[in-house]
Amino acid sequence: MNVKQFSSDKILKHLDRVNCWIRGGNPPPITAELDMTNICNHKCPECVSNYFQNSEKNSLSKKLAFRVIKECAEFKVKAIIFTGGGEPLCNINTVSAVKLAKELGLDVGFITNGSLLNNHNMEVLVRHCVWIRISLDASSSEMFKKTHGMNSDEYKNILANVRNLCSIKKDIKSDCAIGIGYLTCDDTVDGMINAAKMCRDLGVSYLQFRPMQIHRGGKFDYHWTDVNGKIAECLKYGHNGYNVLHSEHKYAMMKDKKFGRNYGKCYGHQFATVISASGKMYICCHLRGYEKYCIGDLNKSSLQDIWNSKKRQQVAKNINFKDCIPLCRDNTFNQILWNIKQPREHVNFL
C-alpha cells in the first residue's frame, strides 16, 4: 500500500459512482465507518466523542455486526473502517467481525488506541487489514497523560504493542500499513520531532500529523498552533519505508476564514456513511449521536432501505454547516464535488 493516500482526489478513483450521482442517481457508499462500541478504556480530555459516550454505552452484538457487514458487502460498499465511538477492541466481537469483512471481499481499515492489542488479535489484524492506525498523540508519558488521560505504564504498554505489531507484520510478510496518528495542539507541538524519531524506531509505516479540533455540540474549540516549522523538520526523518505525513490541506485551510468551505452543499455524505454502536446510522462521522442527523436504525431496517429512504434525503437536505466541525472529513471532497456539480460551458475544450 502507498501510505501517501490521504488526499481528497481519491474520490476520482470512483468515477462510476460519481457519474451515477451526477446523473441524479443514488450510488451506494464507497466507505462505511463501523463503530463496534462507543465504550473506551482511555480518558482523553478532548475526545471528540465524549458527549456521545457520556450519554449512552452501546456495543454492537455479534449478530447485528455480522448482518451489517454482510449487507455492506451485498450493497457493494468497498471498504469498512473499524473505528469509534469508542475503542473497537472493547467489543469482544470485533476481531471476528474484521475476519468476516475481509472474507466477504471488503477492504478493512482499523483505528485503535493500541492498549488492547495482544498476540492473537495482532496477527488477525495484520493479516486482514489494509491499514491499522494507532492513535497515540504523544511522544512522552507526560504528554500522553494530557492527551489520553492515562499513566506512564499504559503509554509504555502501547509502545511495546506497536513494536510487537510491526514485528508480527514482518514475520508473516503482511502488506498492512501500520501508522501512528498524532494530533497537534499546544500540548503536543513540542513533542513532534521526538515523535518522528520514535515512530521511525518503532518500525511503523508512517506517522501522520493532523490538527486537533473539538466538537462540543456545535461549539468548537480550536487547539491550533503553527506547526509548519516543526513539520518541515519532522519530514527529514522519513526514509527506508518510513514516511512522515501531514494533512497538508487541513493545515492550509486553518488559515482560511471559511476553512475552505466555499461550497453551498455537503455532497461528501453520498460516498461515506457511519454506523454507530447503537445500530443507528448518521449522515457524517462528526455528527454521530446527534438525532437530527440520524438517517435510520439498522435494528429496524436494512442498510439498503435506509440508504434509499426519504428520511436520509431529508436529513441531507437539512444539513446546517453551523453544526459542522470546520475541517471536517468531507470538506475537501465537497470542494471537488461542488465544482464537478456546477454547470460548465464549452466542456469539450480543456
Side-chain angles (χ1 to χ4, degrees), residues 234-251:
C234 290
L235 291 175
K236 298 176 184 177
Y237 294 95
H239 62 87
N240 294 334
Y242 166 63
N243 290 271
V244 177
L245 309 172
H246 64 292
S247 298
E248 187 174 3
H249 57 289
K250 290 192 175 184
Y251 286 108

Side-chain angles (χ1 to χ4, degrees), residues 27-180:
I30 296 164
T31 304
E33 294 194 16
L34 181 61
D35 297 350
M36 291 298 293
T37 183
N38 64 3
I39 296 169
C40 189
N41 60 336
H42 279 197
K43 303 172 183 177
C44 305
E46 305 294 355
C47 177
V48 296
S49 297
N50 59 9
Y51 66 92
F52 192 20
Q53 294 165 353
N54 291 337
S55 63
E56 53 183 76
K57 303 293 184 184
N58 288 308
S59 293
L60 290 179
S61 67
K62 183 176 182 179
K63 181 179 180 181
L64 181 56
F66 275 39
R67 196 202 92 201
V68 168
I69 292 168
K70 289 174 182 175
E71 288 185 6
C72 284
E74 290 166 359
F75 197 37
K76 305 302 181 185
V77 172
K78 295 188 176 183
I80 286 183
I81 303 173
F82 287 84
T83 178
E87 164 53 44
L89 292 173
C90 282
N91 186 330
I92 61 172
N93 300 307
T94 295
V95 174
S96 55
V98 167
K99 292 171 71 174
L100 176 65
K102 176 66 173 178
E103 288 165 2
L104 292 175
L106 292 156
D107 283 344
V108 179
F110 200 89
I111 300 174
T112 174
N113 62 35
S115 63
L116 298 178
L117 292 169
N118 57 45
N119 286 338
H120 169 66
N121 62 36
M122 284 191 227
E123 182 165 352
V124 172
L125 292 176
V126 294
R127 284 189 185 278
H128 293 82
C129 294
V130 174
W131 55 264
I132 302 166
R133 191 177 77 216
I134 297 91
S135 301
L136 189 62
D137 312 311
S139 60
S140 70
S141 56
E142 295 78 15
M143 195 175 294
F144 189 69
K145 176 69 175 176
K146 291 181 179 180
T147 58
H148 282 245
M150 305 299 287
N151 62 28
S152 60
D153 288 342
E154 180 76 337
Y155 182 68
K156 291 174 185 176
N157 170 55
I158 292 169
L159 295 186
N161 287 343
V162 172
R163 249 185 227 102
N164 197 14
L165 186 68
C166 294
S167 177
I168 291 172
K169 169 192 168 178
K170 185 177 180 181
D171 288 346
I172 67 174
K173 297 180 173 58
S174 166
D175 292 329
C176 176
I178 299 172
I180 297 290

Side-chain angles (χ1 to χ4, degrees), residues 12 18 21-22 335-344:
L12 300 179
V18 173
W21 166 74
I22 290 171
Q335 293 168 6
I336 292 173
L337 295 170
W338 176 259
N339 287 331
I340 289 174
K341 196 80 167 178
Q342 301 313 299
R344 290 287 188 273

